[in-house]
């Protein structure tokens, strides 16, 4: 059985127990049982969970100077407080168990789409990932796929402007059917084509309002994430509008609005930030060709952080 060749840490223990629970309780737990079994709130460990949320981004890239052009490898830091959280890079078998019968939605711009592709890579066979990548390349469109083996639905909603996100939330509410995980992120298009930071602010606040009462009849609240903008390497952008309008200074101004909108968990909001800016900056300029879209490893890490957050976090109830 799959559990045998895994190392004996706590999380694997949970996976093994879960595997058994699932095998036995098929009919009792029909939908996304994995994540909700994992995240049953436990008052005693609340502080422990809280501090681990803060350590989720404590990663290091490992340089392999002998190998030019290789993908960087990475791990969580080995320091004591981080190690205590027992974060785990989920391999495919783990991910399949965890995401069994789940519905995951990514909504946003091309950055968010790269996040979706990283998750797809974790649950799907390489050939289908290759086809999806080819299909989506430079295409401004929605994408939806169903992973038959685990009956998982994975959607990407092309919402390059933040102001298009609240409507999506309202659609979920109207249908009274919510994804188990929603990852949202947009800002670069707002910077590039709208060029009005107060408008961006207004859209963010409207998004926050749209997240009120986002829970289904059976009381489940989706796990919500914010896919932050990457570090902009201005000198690598194509000259012209892009280079004029996408600068680090401006990204910081826009990002500041995200902080101010109280969307993020850290500021009392419902979304946990996946800090692409930090992860991309840490990877460095050599991890991007066009100054905006980074190597897969950056988005792979974001997805691993997201999954680990889901494992340690009870469903994040919006505090309204
Ligand atoms: C997914 O869930 C179904 C039903 O609960 C179970 O039979 C199946 O083994 C699970 N698959 C994985 C990969 O965990
Ligand atoms: C880019 O920024 C400049 C200067 O802020 C602005 O005049 C221009 O309208 C922007 N371009 C677009 C497409 O918004
Ligand atoms: C920017 O947006 C604000 C609020 O949405 C609006 O009042 C203002 O007129 C806009 N500024 C420009 C230059 O369009
Ligand atoms: C937003 O908040 C985070 C976390 O407190 C902080 O690290 C970051 O610098 C803030 N961003 C801006 C643009 O102020």
């Amino acid at each position: 059985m799959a559990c045998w060749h895994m190392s004996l840490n706590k999380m694997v223990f949970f996976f093994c127990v879960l595997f058994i629970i699932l095998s036995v309780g098929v009919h009792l737990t029909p939908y996304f049982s994995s994540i909700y079994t994992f995240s049953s709130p436990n008052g005693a460990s609340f502080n422990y969970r809280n501090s681990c949320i803060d350590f989720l981004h404590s990663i290091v890239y490992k340089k392999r100077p002998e190998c030019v052009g290789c993908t960087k490898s990475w791990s969580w830091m080995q320091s004591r407080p981080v190690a205590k959280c027992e974060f785990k890079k989920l391999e495919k078998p783990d991910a399949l168990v965890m995401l069994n019968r789940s519905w995951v939605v990514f909504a946003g711009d091309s950055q968010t789409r790269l996040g979706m592709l990283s998750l797809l890579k974790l649950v799907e066979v390489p050939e289908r990932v290759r086809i999806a990548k080819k299909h989506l390349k430079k295409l401004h469109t929605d994408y939806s796929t169903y992973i038959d083996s685990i009956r998982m639905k994975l959607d990407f909603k092309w919402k390059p402007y933040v102001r298009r996100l609240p409507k999506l939330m309202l659609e979920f509410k109207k249908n009274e059917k919510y994804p188990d995980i929603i990852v949202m992120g947009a800002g670069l298009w707002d910077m590039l084509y709208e060029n009005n930071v107060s408008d961006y602010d207004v859209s963010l606040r409207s998004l926050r309002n749209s997240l009120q009462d986002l829970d289904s009849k059976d009381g489940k609240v989706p796990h919500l994430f914010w896919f932050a903008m990457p570090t902009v390497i201005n000198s690598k952008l194509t000259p012209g509008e892009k280079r004029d309008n996408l600068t680090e200074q401006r990204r910081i101004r826009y990002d500041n609005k995200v902080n101010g909108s109280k969307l993020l968990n850290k500021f009392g909001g419902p979304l946990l930030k996946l800090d692409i800016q930090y992860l991309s900056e840490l990877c460095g300029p050599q991890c991007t060709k066009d100054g905006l879209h980074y190597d897969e490893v950056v988005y792979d890490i974001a997805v691993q952080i997201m999954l680990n957050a889901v494992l340690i976090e009870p469903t994040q109830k919006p505090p309204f």
Side-chain angles (χ1 to χ4, degrees):
M1 194 150 95
C3 298
W4 285 8
H5 53 260
M6 294 176 187
S7 68
L8 273 175
N9 65 37
K10 194 169 141 209
M11 192 165 297
V12 170
F13 171 74
F14 278 135
F15 272 123
C16 293
V17 170
L18 178 74
F19 192 82
I20 293 158
I21 293 172
L22 284 182
S23 316
V24 177
V26 175
H27 304 291
L28 298 175
T29 52
Y31 196 67
F32 208 43
S33 31
S34 323
I35 287 181
Y36 291 100
T37 310
F38 270 103
S39 54
S40 64
N42 173 350
S45 59
F46 185 74
N47 286 331
Y48 161 78
R49 269 198 317 259
N50 260 7
S51 60
C52 283
I53 292 286
D54 289 339
F55 289 129
L56 276 166
H57 287 80
S58 301
I59 66 115
V60 279
Y61 288 97
K62 295 180 194 154
K63 281 211 186 82
R64 286 189 293 186
E66 75 284 1
C67 174
V68 181
C70 290
T71 322
K72 278 188 179 174
S73 68
W74 66 281
S75 71
W76 273 283
M77 286 173 188
Q78 297 303 305
S79 66
R80 238 188 116 79
V82 182
K84 261 175 88 177
C85 295
E86 298 185 343
F87 298 132
K88 181 178 155 58
K89 264 193 224 180
L90 299 182
E91 307 276 350
K92 192 171 208 157
D94 306 333
L96 290 178
V97 173
M98 182 181 170
L99 296 167
N100 203 353
R101 297 175 176 221
S102 63
W103 177 22
V104 180
V105 173
F106 284 77
D109 57 17
S110 57
Q111 297 290 320
T112 319
R113 185 172 61 205
L114 288 167
M116 184 276 295
L117 285 168
S118 277
L119 183 63
L120 185 68
K121 198 169 63 178
L122 204 53
V123 292
E124 190 51 282
V125 292
E127 179 59 11
R128 284 189 66 177
V129 181
R130 198 187 59 76
I131 293 169
K133 270 186 195 158
K134 201 169 154 215
H135 171 70
L136 284 171
K137 204 164 188 194
K138 303 229 182 314
L139 207 60
H140 296 158
T141 181
D142 291 353
Y143 174 78
S144 181
T145 187
Y146 190 73
I147 292 94
D148 299 316
S149 63
I150 54 167
R151 300 208 217 160
M152 174 193 176
K153 191 161 150 39
L154 177 59
D155 287 325
F156 170 70
K157 304 281 185 191
W158 172 247
K159 307 281 176 204
Y161 297 108
V162 167
R163 65 179 142 76
R164 294 194 189 158
L165 290 168
K167 205 170 148 223
L168 180 64
M169 299 307 122
L170 296 178
E171 271 168 38
F172 293 140
K173 277 188 200 172
K174 206 175 92 205
N175 301 331
E176 292 190 52
K177 201 159 167 0
Y178 299 97
D180 301 284
I181 299 176
I182 308 177
V183 184
M184 291 174 276
L188 293 172
W189 278 50
D190 294 81
M191 277 166 71
L192 181 57
Y193 299 114
E194 305 269 287
N195 200 28
N196 184 332
V197 73
S198 6
D199 258 352
Y200 188 64
D201 193 27
V202 169
S203 305
L204 289 165
R205 284 162 201 274
S206 141
L207 174 60
R208 188 175 193 269
N209 289 336
S210 75
L211 293 169
Q212 273 176 347
D213 309 319
L214 198 67
D215 50 1
S216 56
K217 279 195 213 117
D218 53 7
K220 282 178 186 172
V221 184
H223 292 264
L224 301 169
F225 294 91
W226 179 252
F227 211 80
M229 283 185 268
T231 302
V232 176
I233 314 251
N234 194 261
S235 58
K236 289 194 171 189
L237 299 176
T238 45
E241 248 176 20
K242 254 195 183 165
R243 195 173 281 181
D244 295 342
N245 292 28
L246 301 180
T247 61
E248 265 299 274
Q249 293 90 310
R250 290 191 68 197
R251 185 196 57 73
I252 291 167
R253 274 178 67 203
Y254 275 67
D255 210 35
N256 202 13
K257 295 296 180 195
V258 177
N259 281 0
S261 69
K262 298 199 170 68
L263 265 173
L264 303 179
N265 181 286
K266 210 169 191 119
F267 298 88
L271 309 188
L272 190 67
K273 178 175 175 181
L274 299 172
D275 200 340
I276 307 303
Q277 186 273 317
Y278 174 73
L279 297 174
S280 56
E281 187 181 31
L282 203 60
C283 198
Q286 74 281 14
C287 296
T288 174
K289 286 197 183 73
D290 66 3
L292 286 177
H293 302 90
Y294 283 77
D295 293 348
E296 277 181 20
V297 64
V298 169
Y299 307 97
D300 291 347
I301 298 172
V303 162
Q304 291 289 344
I305 288 175
M306 177 194 91
L307 294 174
N308 275 267
V310 169
L311 289 176
I312 57 178
E313 179 83 330
T315 304
Q316 303 149 3
K317 248 194 185 320
F320 296 110

